[in-house]
PDB file of all heavy atoms in Angstrom:
ATOM      1  N   ASN A   1      -9.907  -4.150   3.331  1.00  0.00           N
ATOM      2  CA  ASN A   1     -10.558  -4.015   4.631  1.00  0.00           C
ATOM      3  C   ASN A   1      -9.834  -3.040   5.561  1.00  0.00           C
ATOM      4  O   ASN A   1     -10.244  -2.857   6.708  1.00  0.00           O
ATOM      5  CB  ASN A   1     -10.739  -5.378   5.305  1.00  0.00           C
ATOM      6  CG  ASN A   1      -9.425  -6.119   5.547  1.00  0.00           C
ATOM      7  OD1 ASN A   1      -8.391  -5.525   5.835  1.00  0.00           O
ATOM      8  ND2 ASN A   1      -9.469  -7.446   5.435  1.00  0.00           N
ATOM      9  N   MET A   2      -8.756  -2.443   5.077  1.00  0.00           N
ATOM     10  CA  MET A   2      -8.056  -1.361   5.786  1.00  0.00           C
ATOM     11  C   MET A   2      -7.381  -1.825   7.081  1.00  0.00           C
ATOM     12  O   MET A   2      -7.110  -1.028   7.969  1.00  0.00           O
ATOM     13  CB  MET A   2      -9.025  -0.211   6.106  1.00  0.00           C
ATOM     14  CG  MET A   2      -9.649   0.440   4.907  1.00  0.00           C
ATOM     15  SD  MET A   2      -8.444   1.293   3.871  1.00  0.00           S
ATOM     16  CE  MET A   2      -7.895   2.587   4.962  1.00  0.00           C
ATOM     17  N   SER A   3      -7.054  -3.096   7.178  1.00  0.00           N
ATOM     18  CA  SER A   3      -6.489  -3.602   8.429  1.00  0.00           C
ATOM     19  C   SER A   3      -4.965  -3.607   8.454  1.00  0.00           C
ATOM     20  O   SER A   3      -4.364  -3.580   9.533  1.00  0.00           O
ATOM     21  CB  SER A   3      -6.998  -5.025   8.695  1.00  0.00           C
ATOM     22  OG  SER A   3      -6.577  -5.916   7.667  1.00  0.00           O
ATOM     23  N   ASN A   4      -4.316  -3.643   7.265  1.00  0.00           N
ATOM     24  CA  ASN A   4      -2.855  -3.771   7.213  1.00  0.00           C
ATOM     25  C   ASN A   4      -2.242  -2.861   6.153  1.00  0.00           C
ATOM     26  O   ASN A   4      -2.552  -3.007   4.972  1.00  0.00           O
ATOM     27  CB  ASN A   4      -2.463  -5.214   6.871  1.00  0.00           C
ATOM     28  CG  ASN A   4      -2.679  -6.166   8.014  1.00  0.00           C
ATOM     29  OD1 ASN A   4      -1.885  -6.238   8.929  1.00  0.00           O
ATOM     30  ND2 ASN A   4      -3.789  -6.902   7.968  1.00  0.00           N
ATOM     31  N   PHE A   5      -1.369  -1.964   6.567  1.00  0.00           N
ATOM     32  CA  PHE A   5      -0.615  -1.151   5.618  1.00  0.00           C
ATOM     33  C   PHE A   5       0.847  -1.588   5.541  1.00  0.00           C
ATOM     34  O   PHE A   5       1.607  -1.073   4.717  1.00  0.00           O
ATOM     35  CB  PHE A   5      -0.688   0.331   5.989  1.00  0.00           C
ATOM     36  CG  PHE A   5      -1.999   0.986   5.608  1.00  0.00           C
ATOM     37  CD1 PHE A   5      -2.290   2.260   6.030  1.00  0.00           C
ATOM     38  CD2 PHE A   5      -2.927   0.321   4.832  1.00  0.00           C
ATOM     39  CE1 PHE A   5      -3.491   2.881   5.674  1.00  0.00           C
ATOM     40  CE2 PHE A   5      -4.126   0.917   4.470  1.00  0.00           C
ATOM     41  CZ  PHE A   5      -4.405   2.199   4.899  1.00  0.00           C
ATOM     42  N   LYS A   6       1.229  -2.515   6.413  1.00  0.00           N
ATOM     43  CA  LYS A   6       2.575  -3.071   6.369  1.00  0.00           C
ATOM     44  C   LYS A   6       2.476  -4.587   6.352  1.00  0.00           C
ATOM     45  O   LYS A   6       1.731  -5.182   7.131  1.00  0.00           O
ATOM     46  CB  LYS A   6       3.398  -2.592   7.563  1.00  0.00           C
ATOM     47  CG  LYS A   6       3.707  -1.099   7.507  1.00  0.00           C
ATOM     48  CD  LYS A   6       4.629  -0.659   8.632  1.00  0.00           C
ATOM     49  CE  LYS A   6       4.942   0.835   8.508  1.00  0.00           C
ATOM     50  NZ  LYS A   6       5.850   1.299   9.590  1.00  0.00           N
ATOM     51  N   TYR A   7       3.236  -5.209   5.434  1.00  0.00           N
ATOM     52  CA  TYR A   7       3.185  -6.659   5.260  1.00  0.00           C
ATOM     53  C   TYR A   7       4.580  -7.161   4.921  1.00  0.00           C
ATOM     54  O   TYR A   7       5.189  -6.702   3.944  1.00  0.00           O
ATOM     55  CB  TYR A   7       2.203  -7.009   4.140  1.00  0.00           C
ATOM     56  CG  TYR A   7       2.157  -8.478   3.779  1.00  0.00           C
ATOM     57  CD1 TYR A   7       1.565  -9.404   4.625  1.00  0.00           C
ATOM     58  CD2 TYR A   7       2.694  -8.927   2.575  1.00  0.00           C
ATOM     59  CE1 TYR A   7       1.510 -10.748   4.296  1.00  0.00           C
ATOM     60  CE2 TYR A   7       2.649 -10.278   2.230  1.00  0.00           C
ATOM     61  CZ  TYR A   7       2.060 -11.180   3.095  1.00  0.00           C
ATOM     62  OH  TYR A   7       2.015 -12.521   2.772  1.00  0.00           O
ATOM     63  N   LYS A   8       5.108  -8.049   5.764  1.00  0.00           N
ATOM     64  CA  LYS A   8       6.469  -8.564   5.585  1.00  0.00           C
ATOM     65  C   LYS A   8       7.433  -7.381   5.456  1.00  0.00           C
ATOM     66  O   LYS A   8       7.469  -6.523   6.325  1.00  0.00           O
ATOM     67  CB  LYS A   8       6.522  -9.525   4.406  1.00  0.00           C
ATOM     68  CG  LYS A   8       5.677 -10.787   4.620  1.00  0.00           C
ATOM     69  CD  LYS A   8       5.809 -11.775   3.482  1.00  0.00           C
ATOM     70  CE  LYS A   8       4.994 -13.041   3.759  1.00  0.00           C
ATOM     71  NZ  LYS A   8       5.094 -14.029   2.666  1.00  0.00           N
ATOM     72  N   LYS A   9       8.172  -7.305   4.358  1.00  0.00           N
ATOM     73  CA  LYS A   9       9.149  -6.209   4.201  1.00  0.00           C
ATOM     74  C   LYS A   9       8.536  -4.965   3.564  1.00  0.00           C
ATOM     75  O   LYS A   9       9.228  -3.957   3.371  1.00  0.00           O
ATOM     76  CB  LYS A   9      10.323  -6.675   3.346  1.00  0.00           C
ATOM     77  CG  LYS A   9       9.944  -6.972   1.895  1.00  0.00           C
ATOM     78  CD  LYS A   9      11.165  -7.371   1.073  1.00  0.00           C
ATOM     79  CE  LYS A   9      10.794  -7.628  -0.394  1.00  0.00           C
ATOM     80  NZ  LYS A   9      11.968  -7.968  -1.225  1.00  0.00           N
ATOM     81  N   TYR A  10       7.253  -5.011   3.243  1.00  0.00           N
ATOM     82  CA  TYR A  10       6.657  -3.961   2.427  1.00  0.00           C
ATOM     83  C   TYR A  10       5.892  -2.927   3.260  1.00  0.00           C
ATOM     84  O   TYR A  10       5.163  -3.263   4.184  1.00  0.00           O
ATOM     85  CB  TYR A  10       5.677  -4.581   1.417  1.00  0.00           C
ATOM     86  CG  TYR A  10       6.301  -5.621   0.524  1.00  0.00           C
ATOM     87  CD1 TYR A  10       6.026  -6.980   0.713  1.00  0.00           C
ATOM     88  CD2 TYR A  10       7.162  -5.262  -0.507  1.00  0.00           C
ATOM     89  CE1 TYR A  10       6.599  -7.943  -0.106  1.00  0.00           C
ATOM     90  CE2 TYR A  10       7.743  -6.216  -1.332  1.00  0.00           C
ATOM     91  CZ  TYR A  10       7.453  -7.554  -1.125  1.00  0.00           C
ATOM     92  OH  TYR A  10       8.018  -8.512  -1.928  1.00  0.00           O
ATOM     93  N   ASP A  11       6.059  -1.679   2.870  1.00  0.00           N
ATOM     94  CA  ASP A  11       5.240  -0.584   3.381  1.00  0.00           C
ATOM     95  C   ASP A  11       4.436  -0.072   2.196  1.00  0.00           C
ATOM     96  O   ASP A  11       4.978   0.558   1.282  1.00  0.00           O
ATOM     97  CB  ASP A  11       6.124   0.526   3.967  1.00  0.00           C
ATOM     98  CG  ASP A  11       5.314   1.638   4.615  1.00  0.00           C
ATOM     99  OD1 ASP A  11       4.275   2.023   4.057  1.00  0.00           O
ATOM    100  OD2 ASP A  11       5.727   2.125   5.686  1.00  0.00           O
ATOM    101  N   ILE A  12       3.143  -0.355   2.203  1.00  0.00           N
ATOM    102  CA  ILE A  12       2.340  -0.094   1.007  1.00  0.00           C
ATOM    103  C   ILE A  12       2.235   1.395   0.700  1.00  0.00           C
ATOM    104  O   ILE A  12       2.182   1.787  -0.475  1.00  0.00           O
ATOM    105  CB  ILE A  12       0.934  -0.739   1.137  1.00  0.00           C
ATOM    106  CG1 ILE A  12       0.223  -0.737  -0.218  1.00  0.00           C
ATOM    107  CG2 ILE A  12       0.101  -0.038   2.193  1.00  0.00           C
ATOM    108  CD1 ILE A  12       0.933  -1.498  -1.302  1.00  0.00           C
ATOM    109  N   LEU A  13       2.240   2.246   1.706  1.00  0.00           N
ATOM    110  CA  LEU A  13       2.158   3.684   1.442  1.00  0.00           C
ATOM    111  C   LEU A  13       3.382   4.162   0.672  1.00  0.00           C
ATOM    112  O   LEU A  13       3.275   5.007  -0.229  1.00  0.00           O
ATOM    113  CB  LEU A  13       1.998   4.459   2.748  1.00  0.00           C
ATOM    114  CG  LEU A  13       0.687   4.238   3.508  1.00  0.00           C
ATOM    115  CD1 LEU A  13       0.679   5.046   4.792  1.00  0.00           C
ATOM    116  CD2 LEU A  13      -0.509   4.595   2.651  1.00  0.00           C
ATOM    117  N   ASP A  14       4.558   3.636   1.004  1.00  0.00           N
ATOM    118  CA  ASP A  14       5.775   3.985   0.268  1.00  0.00           C
ATOM    119  C   ASP A  14       5.683   3.505  -1.180  1.00  0.00           C
ATOM    120  O   ASP A  14       6.067   4.225  -2.113  1.00  0.00           O
ATOM    121  CB  ASP A  14       7.002   3.366   0.937  1.00  0.00           C
ATOM    122  CG  ASP A  14       7.387   4.066   2.232  1.00  0.00           C
ATOM    123  OD1 ASP A  14       6.895   5.186   2.458  1.00  0.00           O
ATOM    124  OD2 ASP A  14       8.164   3.485   3.007  1.00  0.00           O
ATOM    125  N   MET A  15       5.172   2.291  -1.393  1.00  0.00           N
ATOM    126  CA  MET A  15       5.075   1.746  -2.745  1.00  0.00           C
ATOM    127  C   MET A  15       4.062   2.532  -3.569  1.00  0.00           C
ATOM    128  O   MET A  15       4.308   2.842  -4.747  1.00  0.00           O
ATOM    129  CB  MET A  15       4.688   0.267  -2.691  1.00  0.00           C
ATOM    130  CG  MET A  15       5.704  -0.614  -1.978  1.00  0.00           C
ATOM    131  SD  MET A  15       5.312  -2.378  -2.044  1.00  0.00           S
ATOM    132  CE  MET A  15       5.939  -2.795  -3.687  1.00  0.00           C
ATOM    133  N   TRP A  16       2.946   2.887  -2.980  1.00  0.00           N
ATOM    134  CA  TRP A  16       1.908   3.621  -3.706  1.00  0.00           C
ATOM    135  C   TRP A  16       2.406   4.966  -4.223  1.00  0.00           C
ATOM    136  O   TRP A  16       1.936   5.457  -5.250  1.00  0.00           O
ATOM    137  CB  TRP A  16       0.700   3.842  -2.796  1.00  0.00           C
ATOM    138  CG  TRP A  16      -0.166   2.624  -2.629  1.00  0.00           C
ATOM    139  CD1 TRP A  16      -0.156   1.488  -3.393  1.00  0.00           C
ATOM    140  CD2 TRP A  16      -1.173   2.425  -1.632  1.00  0.00           C
ATOM    141  NE1 TRP A  16      -1.096   0.589  -2.928  1.00  0.00           N
ATOM    142  CE2 TRP A  16      -1.731   1.139  -1.852  1.00  0.00           C
ATOM    143  CE3 TRP A  16      -1.658   3.200  -0.578  1.00  0.00           C
ATOM    144  CZ2 TRP A  16      -2.760   0.630  -1.052  1.00  0.00           C
ATOM    145  CZ3 TRP A  16      -2.676   2.691   0.216  1.00  0.00           C
ATOM    146  CH2 TRP A  16      -3.225   1.423  -0.025  1.00  0.00           C
ATOM    147  N   SER A  17       3.346   5.567  -3.527  1.00  0.00           N
ATOM    148  CA  SER A  17       3.814   6.910  -3.908  1.00  0.00           C
ATOM    149  C   SER A  17       4.489   6.921  -5.274  1.00  0.00           C
ATOM    150  O   SER A  17       4.711   7.996  -5.850  1.00  0.00           O
ATOM    151  CB  SER A  17       4.772   7.451  -2.843  1.00  0.00           C
ATOM    152  OG  SER A  17       5.976   6.686  -2.799  1.00  0.00           O
ATOM    153  N   ASN A  18       4.823   5.745  -5.823  1.00  0.00           N
ATOM    154  CA  ASN A  18       5.491   5.666  -7.127  1.00  0.00           C
ATOM    155  C   ASN A  18       4.525   5.680  -8.306  1.00  0.00           C
ATOM    156  O   ASN A  18       4.966   5.829  -9.452  1.00  0.00           O
ATOM    157  CB  ASN A  18       6.324   4.374  -7.200  1.00  0.00           C
ATOM    158  CG  ASN A  18       7.486   4.360  -6.226  1.00  0.00           C
ATOM    159  OD1 ASN A  18       8.518   4.981  -6.467  1.00  0.00           O
ATOM    160  ND2 ASN A  18       7.315   3.668  -5.108  1.00  0.00           N
ATOM    161  N   PHE A  19       3.230   5.538  -8.059  1.00  0.00           N
ATOM    162  CA  PHE A  19       2.280   5.295  -9.142  1.00  0.00           C
ATOM    163  C   PHE A  19       1.562   6.562  -9.605  1.00  0.00           C
ATOM    164  O   PHE A  19       1.496   7.570  -8.882  1.00  0.00           O
ATOM    165  CB  PHE A  19       1.277   4.235  -8.706  1.00  0.00           C
ATOM    166  CG  PHE A  19       1.868   2.850  -8.697  1.00  0.00           C
ATOM    167  CD1 PHE A  19       2.629   2.412  -7.627  1.00  0.00           C
ATOM    168  CD2 PHE A  19       1.707   2.009  -9.791  1.00  0.00           C
ATOM    169  CE1 PHE A  19       3.206   1.144  -7.629  1.00  0.00           C
ATOM    170  CE2 PHE A  19       2.277   0.743  -9.803  1.00  0.00           C
ATOM    171  CZ  PHE A  19       3.023   0.309  -8.727  1.00  0.00           C
ATOM    172  N   LYS A  20       1.036   6.473 -10.825  1.00  0.00           N
ATOM    173  CA  LYS A  20       0.286   7.583 -11.405  1.00  0.00           C
ATOM    174  C   LYS A  20      -0.854   7.999 -10.497  1.00  0.00           C
ATOM    175  O   LYS A  20      -1.136   9.188 -10.318  1.00  0.00           O
ATOM    176  CB  LYS A  20      -0.256   7.174 -12.780  1.00  0.00           C
ATOM    177  CG  LYS A  20      -1.118   8.226 -13.458  1.00  0.00           C
ATOM    178  CD  LYS A  20      -1.652   7.699 -14.787  1.00  0.00           C
ATOM    179  CE  LYS A  20      -2.570   8.722 -15.449  1.00  0.00           C
ATOM    180  NZ  LYS A  20      -3.112   8.201 -16.752  1.00  0.00           N
ATOM    181  N   GLY A  21      -1.541   7.025  -9.949  1.00  0.00           N
ATOM    182  CA  GLY A  21      -2.656   7.289  -9.048  1.00  0.00           C
ATOM    183  C   GLY A  21      -3.005   6.034  -8.281  1.00  0.00           C
ATOM    184  O   GLY A  21      -2.684   4.923  -8.700  1.00  0.00           O
ATOM    185  N   VAL A  22      -3.663   6.223  -7.157  1.00  0.00           N
ATOM    186  CA  VAL A  22      -4.096   5.098  -6.340  1.00  0.00           C
ATOM    187  C   VAL A  22      -5.519   5.376  -5.862  1.00  0.00           C
ATOM    188  O   VAL A  22      -5.784   6.428  -5.266  1.00  0.00           O
ATOM    189  CB  VAL A  22      -3.178   4.884  -5.114  1.00  0.00           C
ATOM    190  CG1 VAL A  22      -3.640   3.668  -4.311  1.00  0.00           C
ATOM    191  CG2 VAL A  22      -1.727   4.719  -5.542  1.00  0.00           C
ATOM    192  N   GLU A  23      -6.426   4.456  -6.168  1.00  0.00           N
ATOM    193  CA  GLU A  23      -7.805   4.551  -5.700  1.00  0.00           C
ATOM    194  C   GLU A  23      -8.008   3.490  -4.623  1.00  0.00           C
ATOM    195  O   GLU A  23      -7.947   2.296  -4.905  1.00  0.00           O
ATOM    196  CB  GLU A  23      -8.785   4.320  -6.853  1.00  0.00           C
ATOM    197  CG  GLU A  23      -8.635   5.303  -8.005  1.00  0.00           C
ATOM    198  CD  GLU A  23      -9.491   4.928  -9.212  1.00  0.00           C
ATOM    199  OE1 GLU A  23     -10.288   3.966  -9.093  1.00  0.00           O
ATOM    200  OE2 GLU A  23      -9.369   5.577 -10.255  1.00  0.00           O
ATOM    201  N   VAL A  24      -8.213   3.928  -3.402  1.00  0.00           N
ATOM    202  CA  VAL A  24      -8.402   3.002  -2.291  1.00  0.00           C
ATOM    203  C   VAL A  24      -9.861   3.038  -1.869  1.00  0.00           C
ATOM    204  O   VAL A  24     -10.352   4.050  -1.352  1.00  0.00           O
ATOM    205  CB  VAL A  24      -7.498   3.358  -1.095  1.00  0.00           C
ATOM    206  CG1 VAL A  24      -7.747   2.384   0.063  1.00  0.00           C
ATOM    207  CG2 VAL A  24      -6.038   3.325  -1.508  1.00  0.00           C
ATOM    208  N   SER A  25     -10.543   1.939  -2.116  1.00  0.00           N
ATOM    209  CA  SER A  25     -11.945   1.824  -1.719  1.00  0.00           C
ATOM    210  C   SER A  25     -12.004   0.987  -0.446  1.00  0.00           C
ATOM    211  O   SER A  25     -11.754  -0.218  -0.466  1.00  0.00           O
ATOM    212  CB  SER A  25     -12.765   1.162  -2.833  1.00  0.00           C
ATOM    213  OG  SER A  25     -14.141   1.164  -2.508  1.00  0.00           O
ATOM    214  N   ALA A  26     -12.291   1.649   0.652  1.00  0.00           N
ATOM    215  CA  ALA A  26     -12.347   0.977   1.954  1.00  0.00           C
ATOM    216  C   ALA A  26     -13.672   0.243   2.093  1.00  0.00           C
ATOM    217  O   ALA A  26     -14.737   0.837   1.931  1.00  0.00           O
ATOM    218  CB  ALA A  26     -12.191   2.007   3.070  1.00  0.00           C
TER     219      ALA A  26
END
């Protein structure tokens, strides 16, 4: 639902940068 990119200690944009690809369907 695109409401949160940070959760607890995690920054999802930083984590996504490690992967082969990321498909985000809003």
